[in-house]
Amino acid sequence: MKDLRAFDVDIVSLKSITYVFEYNVGDAFFAYFDTELVQQGNCAVKVEVTKSSTMIKASFSIVGTVELICDRSLEQFIYPIAHEHLMYFKFGDQNGDDSDDIVVISRSTQAIHLGKYIYEFIGLEIPFKKLHPRFITGQEEAVEAELIYATPLDSEEENGPLADTLPTEVDLEAGLAQLQEKFKKKNK
C-alpha cells in the first residue's frame, strides 16, 4: 500500500444521507505509518458517515487483532481490538481541531482522510503496559520465596512488641543449614 487514498471519503459528492464504508486493514496499512506501536494486525473497520449542511458525523467501529510485543518477556502475542468512536467534522472558515472528537474543516475541503483516524483509534486500544496473556491470567511460574532472616528496624524493637516475630538463633542456624544444603546440591 503506497498511500492511504483508499481511505479518503470524497465529501463533495455526498448527499445528506448516511453512507457506510468498510475497510480491512492489515500489515500493509500498519507499515505505512512506520511506528513501533503496531506493525502487524488484521482489523475490520466500518465507518458510517452522515452528512448534513453544517457538519459530517463519522461513527467508527473497529474489530480485529494486532500483534504486540510483551514488555516483560519480549514475546509476540495477539491482542484483540474492539473500538467504537464518534467524530464530528464541522464546516468552518479554516481547518483546525476544536477537541479530540470535533475537527473543523473548511467548506472547500474535498475529502476526509479516514486512515489516520483509524490508526489512532486502534492505537487507543493498545494498553500502556503490553503483557502477554499468560502474565495477566497468572499462568507464569510461581516462585516460592522463603524468609531466612530479617533485621530489626531499630534496636528498641528487640524487646518491643515485635520481639516475638524476630528470628531466634536456632532459626538462623536452621536457615543457614538449608542454604548450605541448597548450595551443595547446586554445585554437584
Side-chain angles (χ1 to χ4, degrees):
M1 176 180 293
K2 292 184 180 179
D3 57 30
L4 297 178
R5 278 187 247 162
F7 298 93
D8 289 355
V9 174
D10 181 18
I11 59 174
V12 174
S13 64
L14 296 182
K15 297 179 182 176
S16 294
I17 59 172
T18 300
Y19 296 87
V20 177
F21 299 94
E22 294 183 355
Y23 307 101
N24 286 318
V25 296
D27 297 346
F29 174 80
F30 295 115
Y32 177 80
F33 291 95
D34 194 32
T35 64
E36 292 183 20
L37 182 64
V38 178
Q39 295 176 346
Q40 295 180 331
N42 188 14
C43 297
V45 180
K46 179 180 174 184
V47 184
E48 291 183 11
V49 176
T50 305
K51 182 180 179 184
S52 69
S53 60
T54 58
M55 71 175 150
I56 296 172
K57 180 175 89 171
S59 176
F60 293 81
S61 177
I62 304 169
V63 177
T65 59
V66 292
E67 194 169 296
L68 302 177
I69 297 176
C70 178
D71 291 336
R72 185 181 292 178
S73 66
L74 299 178
E75 293 177 74
Q76 291 185 339
F77 66 98
I78 303 297
Y79 187 80
I81 298 290
H83 185 81
E84 292 187 3
H85 201 94
L86 186 60
M87 280 198 76
Y88 296 95
F89 297 90
K90 194 169 87 172
F91 294 113
D93 295 331
Q94 58 185 353
N95 293 340
D97 294 340
D98 272 0
S99 70
D100 290 340
D101 299 329
I102 300 173
V103 176
V104 178
I105 57 175
S106 68
R107 295 203 178 271
S108 62
T109 300
Q110 299 289 316
I112 296 174
H113 311 289
L114 299 179
K116 67 179 181 177
Y117 297 109
I118 293 169
Y119 185 78
E120 287 176 9
F121 298 149
I122 290 172
L124 286 174
E125 287 296 305
I126 305 299
F128 181 72
K129 187 172 185 178
K130 299 176 286 285
L131 290 177
H132 194 283
R134 70 184 168 112
F135 295 117
I136 295 172
T137 59
Q139 295 174 359
E140 63 182 309
E141 296 177 17
V143 178
E144 289 188 31
E146 182 179 325
L147 179 63
I148 304 292
Y149 176 74
T151 57
L153 297 176
D154 201 3
S155 62
E156 296 177 8
E157 289 182 343
E158 289 181 20
N159 298 324
L162 297 177
D164 297 336
T165 61
L166 294 176
T168 63
E169 191 171 311
V170 175
D171 293 338
L172 293 176
E173 289 175 8
L176 183 59
Q178 287 177 348
L179 282 175
Q180 289 173 343
E181 285 296 316
K182 287 181 183 179
F183 184 74
K184 287 178 186 176
K185 288 179 182 177
K186 186 177 180 182
N187 291 328
K188 284 186 180 181

